[in-house]
Amino acid sequence: MLENAAKDLSKYRFERAEQMLRASKVAYAEQDWMTANNRAYYCFFHAMRAVLALDNTDFKRHSAVISYFNQHYVATDLFDRSYGAKFANAFTIRNHSDYDDFYLFSTEETIALIQDAEQFLGDVRAFLAGKGVL
């Protein structure tokens, strides 16, 4: 029963990550860079939480989610090591976009962030499929 609940939660979180990626692309197309950055970050975040659901693990702080994922999935080579830097970059850009007045970022940074989120989502999709979630 618990295993099915964990898989259901994982699937729900993954679907939220997909929604965030779609929203990021729509915002980018509308030249709403701050929202595009925010939604791309949340794609990463919900995708990580989809994986953590299978461990019956969650955290209140975003930094704790990222740290746990890096320690248990990136450092162990279950996911590409380049994601550690990509998560940190996404977290930083999202924080600046959301909280700093007059934060300047390039459209290239936003494009790269969206592409990184899309790549990560694909890797999480493959991981969850291998676990029988998707």
Coordinates of all heavy atoms in Angstrom, one line a residue, residues 45-115:
F45 N 12.5 21.6 -9.4 CA 12.1 21.4 -8.0 C 11.1 20.2 -7.9 O 11.3 19.3 -7.1 CB 11.6 22.6 -7.4 CG 11.2 22.5 -6.0 CD1 12.2 22.3 -5.0 CD2 9.9 22.6 -5.6 CE1 11.8 22.2 -3.6 CE2 9.5 22.4 -4.3 CZ 10.5 22.3 -3.3
H46 N 10.0 20.3 -8.7 CA 9.0 19.3 -8.6 C 9.5 17.9 -9.1 O 9.1 16.9 -8.6 CB 7.7 19.7 -9.3 CG 7.0 20.8 -8.6 ND1 6.6 20.7 -7.3 CD2 6.7 22.1 -9.0 CE1 6.0 21.8 -6.9 NE2 6.0 22.7 -7.9
A47 N 10.4 18.0 -10.1 CA 10.9 16.7 -10.7 C 11.8 16.1 -9.6 O 11.8 14.8 -9.4 CB 11.7 17.0 -11.9
M48 N 12.6 16.8 -8.9 CA 13.4 16.3 -7.8 C 12.5 15.7 -6.7 O 12.8 14.6 -6.3 CB 14.3 17.4 -7.2 CG 15.5 17.7 -7.9 SD 16.6 18.8 -7.0 CE 16.0 20.4 -7.6
R49 N 11.5 16.4 -6.4 CA 10.5 15.9 -5.4 C 9.8 14.6 -5.8 O 9.4 13.8 -5.0 CB 9.6 17.0 -4.9 CG 10.3 18.1 -4.1 CD 9.3 19.2 -3.7 NE 8.4 18.6 -2.7 CZ 7.1 18.8 -2.7 NH1 6.5 19.4 -3.7 NH2 6.4 18.2 -1.7
A50 N 9.6 14.5 -7.1 CA 9.0 13.3 -7.7 C 9.9 12.1 -7.4 O 9.4 11.0 -7.0 CB 8.8 13.4 -9.2
V51 N 11.2 12.2 -7.5 CA 12.2 11.2 -7.2 C 12.2 10.9 -5.7 O 12.1 9.8 -5.2 CB 13.6 11.5 -7.7 CG1 14.6 10.5 -7.3 CG2 13.5 11.6 -9.3
L52 N 12.2 12.0 -4.9 CA 12.3 11.9 -3.4 C 11.1 11.2 -2.9 O 11.1 10.5 -1.8 CB 12.5 13.2 -2.8 CG 13.9 13.7 -2.5 CD1 14.7 13.8 -3.8 CD2 13.9 15.0 -1.8
A53 N 9.9 11.3 -3.5 CA 8.7 10.6 -3.1 C 8.9 9.1 -3.0 O 8.4 8.5 -2.1 CB 7.5 10.9 -4.0
L54 N 9.7 8.6 -3.8 CA 10.0 7.1 -3.8 C 10.8 6.7 -2.6 O 10.8 5.6 -2.2 CB 10.7 6.7 -5.1 CG 9.9 6.9 -6.4 CD1 10.6 6.4 -7.6 CD2 8.5 6.2 -6.3
D55 N 11.5 7.7 -2.0 CA 12.3 7.5 -0.7 C 11.5 7.8 0.5 O 12.0 7.8 1.6 CB 13.5 8.4 -0.7 CG 14.6 8.0 -1.8 OD1 14.5 6.9 -2.4 OD2 15.5 8.9 -2.0
N56 N 10.2 8.2 0.3 CA 9.4 8.7 1.4 C 10.0 9.9 2.1 O 10.0 9.9 3.3 CB 9.0 7.6 2.3 CG 8.1 6.6 1.6 OD1 7.1 6.9 1.0 ND2 8.4 5.3 1.7
T57 N 10.7 10.8 1.3 CA 11.4 11.9 1.9 C 10.9 13.2 1.3 O 10.7 13.3 0.1 CB 12.9 11.7 1.5 OG1 13.4 10.4 2.1 CG2 13.8 12.8 2.0
D58 N 10.9 14.2 2.1 CA 10.5 15.5 1.7 C 11.1 16.5 2.7 O 11.4 16.2 3.8 CB 9.0 15.7 1.5 CG 8.7 16.9 0.6 OD1 9.6 17.4 -0.1 OD2 7.5 17.3 0.5
F59 N 11.2 17.8 2.3 CA 11.8 18.8 3.1 C 11.0 20.1 2.9 O 10.4 20.3 1.8 CB 13.2 19.1 2.8 CG 14.1 17.9 2.9 CD1 14.4 17.0 1.8 CD2 14.7 17.5 4.1 CE1 15.2 15.9 1.9 CE2 15.5 16.4 4.2 CZ 15.7 15.6 3.1
K60 N 11.0 20.9 3.9 CA 10.3 22.2 3.8 C 11.1 23.2 3.0 O 10.6 24.1 2.3 CB 10.0 22.8 5.2 CG 8.9 22.0 5.9 CD 8.6 22.6 7.2 CE 7.5 21.8 7.9 NZ 6.9 22.4 9.1
R61 N 12.4 23.1 3.1 CA 13.3 24.1 2.5 C 13.8 23.6 1.1 O 14.2 22.4 1.0 CB 14.5 24.4 3.4 CG 14.2 25.1 4.7 CD 15.4 25.2 5.6 NE 16.5 25.9 4.8 CZ 16.9 27.1 5.0 NH1 16.3 27.9 5.9 NH2 17.9 27.6 4.3
H62 N 13.7 24.5 0.2 CA 14.2 24.1 -1.2 C 15.6 23.7 -1.2 O 16.0 22.7 -1.9 CB 14.0 25.3 -2.1 CG 12.6 25.6 -2.5 ND1 12.2 25.9 -3.7 CD2 11.4 25.6 -1.7 CE1 10.8 26.1 -3.8 NE2 10.4 25.9 -2.5
S63 N 16.4 24.4 -0.4 CA 17.9 24.0 -0.4 C 18.1 22.6 0.2 O 19.0 21.9 -0.3 CB 18.6 25.1 0.4 OG 18.1 25.1 1.8
A64 N 17.2 22.2 1.1 CA 17.3 20.8 1.6 C 17.0 19.8 0.5 O 17.6 18.7 0.5 CB 16.5 20.7 2.8
V65 N 16.0 20.1 -0.3 CA 15.6 19.2 -1.4 C 16.7 19.0 -2.3 O 17.1 17.9 -2.7 CB 14.3 19.7 -2.1 CG1 14.1 18.9 -3.4 CG2 13.1 19.6 -1.2
I66 N 17.3 20.1 -2.7 CA 18.4 20.1 -3.6 C 19.6 19.4 -3.0 O 20.3 18.6 -3.7 CB 18.8 21.6 -4.1 CG1 17.7 22.2 -4.8 CG2 20.1 21.6 -4.9 CD1 17.8 23.7 -5.0
S67 N 19.9 19.7 -1.8 CA 21.1 19.0 -1.1 C 20.9 17.5 -1.1 O 21.8 16.8 -1.4 CB 21.3 19.6 0.3 OG 22.3 19.0 0.9
Y68 N 19.7 17.1 -0.7 CA 19.5 15.6 -0.6 C 19.6 15.0 -1.9 O 20.2 13.9 -2.1 CB 18.1 15.4 0.0 CG 17.7 13.9 0.2 CD1 18.0 13.3 1.4 CD2 17.1 13.2 -0.9 CE1 17.7 11.9 1.5 CE2 16.8 11.9 -0.7 CZ 17.1 11.2 0.5 OH 16.8 9.9 0.6
F69 N 19.0 15.6 -2.9 CA 19.0 15.1 -4.3 C 20.5 15.0 -4.8 O 20.9 13.9 -5.3 CB 18.2 15.9 -5.3 CG 18.0 15.2 -6.6 CD1 16.9 14.4 -6.7 CD2 18.9 15.3 -7.6 CE1 16.7 13.7 -7.9 CE2 18.7 14.6 -8.8 CZ 17.6 13.8 -9.0
N70 N 21.2 16.0 -4.5 CA 22.6 16.0 -4.9 C 23.4 14.9 -4.2 O 24.2 14.2 -4.9 CB 23.3 17.3 -4.7 CG 23.0 18.4 -5.7 OD1 22.7 18.0 -6.9 ND2 23.0 19.6 -5.4
Q71 N 23.2 14.7 -3.0 CA 23.9 13.7 -2.2 C 23.5 12.3 -2.6 O 24.4 11.5 -2.7 CB 23.6 14.0 -0.7 CG 24.4 13.0 0.2 CD 24.1 13.2 1.7 OE1 23.3 14.1 2.1 NE2 24.8 12.5 2.5
H72 N 22.2 12.1 -2.7 CA 21.8 10.7 -2.9 C 21.6 10.3 -4.4 O 21.5 9.1 -4.7 CB 20.5 10.5 -2.2 CG 20.6 10.6 -0.7 ND1 21.0 9.5 0.1 CD2 20.5 11.6 0.2 CE1 21.1 9.9 1.3 NE2 20.8 11.2 1.4
Y73 N 21.5 11.2 -5.3 CA 21.3 10.9 -6.7 C 22.3 11.4 -7.7 O 22.6 10.7 -8.7 CB 19.9 11.4 -7.1 CG 18.8 10.6 -6.4 CD1 18.3 11.0 -5.2 CD2 18.4 9.4 -7.0 CE1 17.3 10.3 -4.6 CE2 17.4 8.6 -6.3 CZ 16.9 9.1 -5.1 OH 15.9 8.3 -4.5
V74 N 22.9 12.6 -7.4 CA 23.9 13.1 -8.3 C 25.3 12.6 -7.9 O 26.0 12.1 -8.8 CB 23.9 14.7 -8.3 CG1 25.0 15.2 -9.1 CG2 22.6 15.2 -8.9
A75 N 25.6 12.7 -6.7 CA 27.0 12.2 -6.2 C 27.1 10.7 -6.4 O 28.3 10.2 -6.5 CB 27.2 12.6 -4.7
T76 N 26.0 10.0 -6.4 CA 26.1 8.5 -6.6 C 25.9 8.1 -8.1 O 25.8 6.9 -8.4 CB 25.0 7.8 -5.8 OG1 23.7 8.3 -6.3 CG2 25.1 8.1 -4.3
D77 N 25.9 9.1 -9.0 CA 25.9 8.9 -10.4 C 24.6 8.3 -10.9 O 24.5 7.8 -12.0 CB 27.1 8.1 -10.9 CG 28.4 8.9 -10.8 OD1 28.4 10.1 -11.0 OD2 29.4 8.2 -10.4
L78 N 23.5 8.4 -10.1 CA 22.2 8.0 -10.7 C 21.7 9.0 -11.6 O 20.9 8.7 -12.5 CB 21.2 7.8 -9.5 CG 21.5 6.6 -8.6 CD1 20.6 6.6 -7.4 CD2 21.3 5.3 -9.4
F79 N 22.1 10.3 -11.5 CA 21.9 11.4 -12.4 C 23.2 12.0 -12.7 O 24.1 12.0 -11.9 CB 20.9 12.4 -11.8 CG 19.5 11.9 -11.8 CD1 19.0 11.1 -10.8 CD2 18.6 12.2 -12.9 CE1 17.7 10.6 -10.8 CE2 17.3 11.8 -12.9 CZ 16.8 11.0 -11.9
D80 N 23.3 12.6 -13.9 CA 24.6 13.2 -14.3 C 25.1 14.3 -13.3 O 24.3 15.1 -12.8 CB 24.3 13.9 -15.7 CG 25.6 14.3 -16.4 OD1 26.1 15.4 -16.0 OD2 26.1 13.5 -17.2
R81 N 26.3 14.3 -13.1 CA 26.9 15.2 -12.1 C 26.8 16.6 -12.5 O 26.8 17.5 -11.6 CB 28.4 14.8 -11.9 CG 28.6 13.5 -11.1 CD 30.0 13.2 -10.8 NE 30.1 12.0 -10.0 CZ 30.3 12.0 -8.7 NH1 30.4 13.1 -8.0 NH2 30.3 10.9 -8.0
S82 N 26.6 16.9 -13.8 CA 26.4 18.3 -14.2 C 25.2 18.9 -13.6 O 25.1 20.2 -13.5 CB 26.4 18.4 -15.7 OG 25.2 17.8 -16.2
Y83 N 24.2 18.1 -13.1 CA 23.0 18.7 -12.6 C 23.2 19.4 -11.3 O 22.5 20.3 -11.0 CB 22.0 17.6 -12.4 CG 21.3 17.2 -13.7 CD1 21.3 15.8 -14.1 CD2 20.7 18.1 -14.5 CE1 20.7 15.5 -15.3 CE2 20.1 17.7 -15.7 CZ 20.1 16.4 -16.1 OH 19.5 16.0 -17.2
G84 N 24.3 19.1 -10.6 CA 24.5 19.8 -9.3 C 24.7 21.3 -9.6 O 24.1 22.2 -8.9
A85 N 25.5 21.7 -10.6 CA 25.7 23.1 -11.0 C 24.4 23.6 -11.6 O 24.1 24.8 -11.4 CB 26.8 23.2 -11.9
K86 N 23.7 22.8 -12.3 CA 22.4 23.3 -13.0 C 21.4 23.7 -11.9 O 20.7 24.6 -12.0 CB 21.9 22.3 -14.0 CG 22.9 22.2 -15.2 CD 22.4 21.2 -16.2 CE 23.4 21.1 -17.3 NZ 23.0 20.1 -18.3
F87 N 21.3 22.8 -10.9 CA 20.3 23.1 -9.8 C 20.7 24.4 -9.1 O 19.8 25.2 -8.8 CB 20.3 22.0 -8.8 CG 19.9 20.6 -9.3 CD1 20.4 19.5 -8.7 CD2 19.1 20.5 -10.4 CE1 20.0 18.2 -9.1 CE2 18.7 19.2 -10.8 CZ 19.2 18.1 -10.2
A88 N 22.0 24.6 -8.8 CA 22.4 25.8 -8.1 C 22.2 27.0 -8.9 O 21.7 28.0 -8.4 CB 23.9 25.7 -7.8
N89 N 22.4 26.9 -10.2 CA 22.2 28.0 -11.1 C 20.7 28.4 -11.2 O 20.3 29.5 -11.1 CB 22.7 27.7 -12.5 CG 22.5 28.8 -13.5 OD1 22.9 29.9 -13.3 ND2 21.8 28.5 -14.6
A90 N 19.8 27.3 -11.3 CA 18.4 27.6 -11.4 C 17.9 28.2 -10.1 O 17.1 29.1 -10.1 CB 17.7 26.2 -11.6
F91 N 18.4 27.7 -9.0 CA 18.0 28.3 -7.7 C 18.4 29.8 -7.5 O 17.6 30.6 -7.1 CB 18.6 27.5 -6.5 CG 18.2 27.8 -5.1 CD1 17.0 27.4 -4.6 CD2 19.1 28.5 -4.3 CE1 16.6 27.8 -3.4 CE2 18.7 28.9 -3.0 CZ 17.5 28.5 -2.5
T92 N 19.6 30.1 -8.0 CA 20.1 31.5 -7.9 C 19.3 32.4 -8.8 O 18.8 33.5 -8.4 CB 21.6 31.5 -8.3 OG1 22.3 30.7 -7.3 CG2 22.1 32.9 -8.3
I93 N 19.1 32.0 -10.1 CA 18.3 32.8 -11.0 C 16.9 33.0 -10.5 O 16.4 34.1 -10.6 CB 18.4 32.2 -12.4 CG1 19.8 32.3 -13.0 CG2 17.3 32.8 -13.4 CD1 20.0 31.6 -14.3
R94 N 16.3 31.9 -10.1 CA 14.9 32.1 -9.6 C 14.8 33.0 -8.4 O 13.9 33.9 -8.3 CB 14.3 30.7 -9.2 CG 12.8 30.6 -9.0 CD 12.3 31.0 -7.7 NE 12.9 30.3 -6.6 CZ 12.4 30.3 -5.3 NH1 11.4 31.1 -5.0 NH2 13.0 29.7 -4.4
N95 N 15.7 32.9 -7.5 CA 15.7 33.8 -6.3 C 15.9 35.3 -6.7 O 15.2 36.2 -6.3 CB 16.8 33.4 -5.3 CG 16.3 32.3 -4.4 OD1 15.1 32.1 -4.2 ND2 17.2 31.6 -3.8
H96 N 16.9 35.5 -7.6 CA 17.1 36.9 -8.1 C 15.9 37.4 -8.9 O 15.5 38.5 -8.7 CB 18.4 37.0 -9.0 CG 19.6 36.9 -8.2 ND1 20.0 37.7 -7.2 CD2 20.7 36.0 -8.4 CE1 21.2 37.4 -6.7 NE2 21.6 36.4 -7.4
S97 N 15.3 36.5 -9.7 CA 14.2 36.9 -10.5 C 13.0 37.3 -9.7 O 12.3 38.2 -10.0 CB 13.8 35.8 -11.5 OG 14.8 35.7 -12.5
D98 N 12.8 36.5 -8.6 CA 11.6 36.7 -7.8 C 11.8 37.8 -6.7 O 10.8 38.5 -6.4 CB 11.3 35.4 -7.0 CG 10.7 34.3 -7.9 OD1 10.4 34.6 -9.1 OD2 10.4 33.2 -7.4
Y99 N 13.0 38.0 -6.2 CA 13.1 38.9 -5.1 C 14.0 40.1 -5.2 O 13.9 41.0 -4.4 CB 13.7 38.0 -3.9 CG 12.8 36.9 -3.5 CD1 13.3 35.6 -3.7 CD2 11.5 37.1 -3.0 CE1 12.4 34.5 -3.4 CE2 10.7 36.0 -2.7 CZ 11.2 34.7 -2.9 OH 10.4 33.6 -2.6
D100 N 14.8 40.2 -6.3 CA 15.7 41.3 -6.4 C 15.0 42.4 -7.4 O 14.7 42.0 -8.5 CB 17.0 40.9 -7.0 CG 17.8 40.1 -6.0 OD1 17.4 40.0 -4.8 OD2 18.9 39.6 -6.4
D101 N 15.0 43.6 -6.9 CA 14.5 44.7 -7.8 C 15.6 44.9 -8.9 O 16.8 44.9 -8.7 CB 14.3 46.0 -7.1 CG 13.2 45.9 -6.1 OD1 12.2 45.1 -6.3 OD2 13.3 46.6 -5.0
F102 N 15.1 45.0 -10.1 CA 15.9 45.4 -11.3 C 17.0 44.3 -11.6 O 18.1 44.7 -12.1 CB 16.6 46.7 -11.1 CG 15.6 47.8 -10.7 CD1 15.6 48.4 -9.4 CD2 14.6 48.2 -11.6 CE1 14.7 49.4 -9.1 CE2 13.7 49.2 -11.3 CZ 13.7 49.8 -10.0
Y103 N 16.8 43.1 -11.2 CA 17.7 42.0 -11.6 C 17.8 41.9 -13.1 O 16.8 41.8 -13.8 CB 17.3 40.7 -10.9 CG 18.2 39.5 -11.3 CD1 19.5 39.5 -11.0 CD2 17.7 38.5 -12.1 CE1 20.4 38.4 -11.3 CE2 18.5 37.4 -12.5 CZ 19.8 37.4 -12.1 OH 20.6 36.4 -12.5
L104 N 19.1 41.9 -13.6 CA 19.3 41.8 -15.0 C 19.8 40.4 -15.3 O 20.8 39.9 -14.7 CB 20.3 42.9 -15.5 CG 19.9 44.3 -15.3 CD1 21.0 45.2 -15.7 CD2 18.6 44.6 -16.0
F105 N 19.2 39.8 -16.3 CA 19.6 38.5 -16.8 C 19.4 38.5 -18.3 O 18.6 39.3 -18.8 CB 18.9 37.3 -16.1 CG 17.4 37.5 -16.1 CD1 16.6 37.1 -17.2 CD2 16.8 38.1 -15.0 CE1 15.2 37.3 -17.1 CE2 15.4 38.3 -15.0 CZ 14.6 37.9 -16.1
S106 N 20.1 37.7 -19.0 CA 20.0 37.7 -20.4 C 18.9 36.6 -20.9 O 18.6 35.7 -20.1 CB 21.3 37.3 -21.1 OG 21.7 36.0 -20.8
T107 N 18.4 36.9 -22.0 CA 17.5 35.9 -22.6 C 18.2 34.5 -22.8 O 17.6 33.5 -22.7 CB 16.9 36.4 -23.9 OG1 17.9 36.7 -24.8 CG2 16.0 37.6 -23.7
E108 N 19.5 34.6 -23.1 CA 20.3 33.4 -23.2 C 20.3 32.5 -21.9 O 20.2 31.3 -22.0 CB 21.7 33.7 -23.7 CG 21.9 34.2 -25.1 CD 21.5 35.7 -25.3 OE1 21.5 36.4 -24.2 OE2 21.3 36.1 -26.4
E109 N 20.4 33.2 -20.8 CA 20.3 32.5 -19.5 C 19.0 31.9 -19.3 O 18.9 30.7 -18.8 CB 20.5 33.5 -18.3 CG 21.9 34.0 -18.1 CD 22.1 35.0 -17.0 OE1 21.4 36.0 -17.0 OE2 22.8 34.7 -16.1
T110 N 17.9 32.6 -19.7 CA 16.6 32.0 -19.6 C 16.4 30.8 -20.5 O 15.9 29.7 -20.1 CB 15.5 33.0 -19.9 OG1 15.7 34.1 -18.9 CG2 14.1 32.5 -19.7
I111 N 16.9 30.9 -21.7 CA 16.8 29.8 -22.7 C 17.6 28.6 -22.2 O 17.1 27.5 -22.2 CB 17.4 30.2 -24.1 CG1 16.5 31.2 -24.8 CG2 17.6 29.0 -25.0 CD1 17.1 31.9 -26.0
A112 N 18.8 28.8 -21.6 CA 19.6 27.7 -21.1 C 18.9 27.1 -19.9 O 18.9 25.9 -19.8 CB 21.0 28.2 -20.7
L113 N 18.3 27.9 -19.1 CA 17.6 27.4 -17.9 C 16.4 26.5 -18.3 O 16.2 25.4 -17.8 CB 17.1 28.5 -17.0 CG 16.4 28.2 -15.7 CD1 17.3 27.4 -14.8 CD2 16.0 29.5 -15.0
I114 N 15.7 26.9 -19.3 CA 14.5 26.1 -19.8 C 15.1 24.8 -20.4 O 14.5 23.7 -20.2 CB 13.7 26.9 -20.8 CG1 13.0 28.1 -20.1 CG2 12.7 26.0 -21.5 CD1 12.3 29.1 -21.0
Q115 N 16.1 24.9 -21.2 CA 16.7 23.7 -21.8 C 17.2 22.7 -20.8 O 17.0 21.5 -20.9 CB 17.8 24.1 -22.8 CG 17.3 24.8 -24.0 CD 18.4 25.3 -24.9 OE1 19.5 25.6 -24.5 NE2 18.0 25.6 -26.2

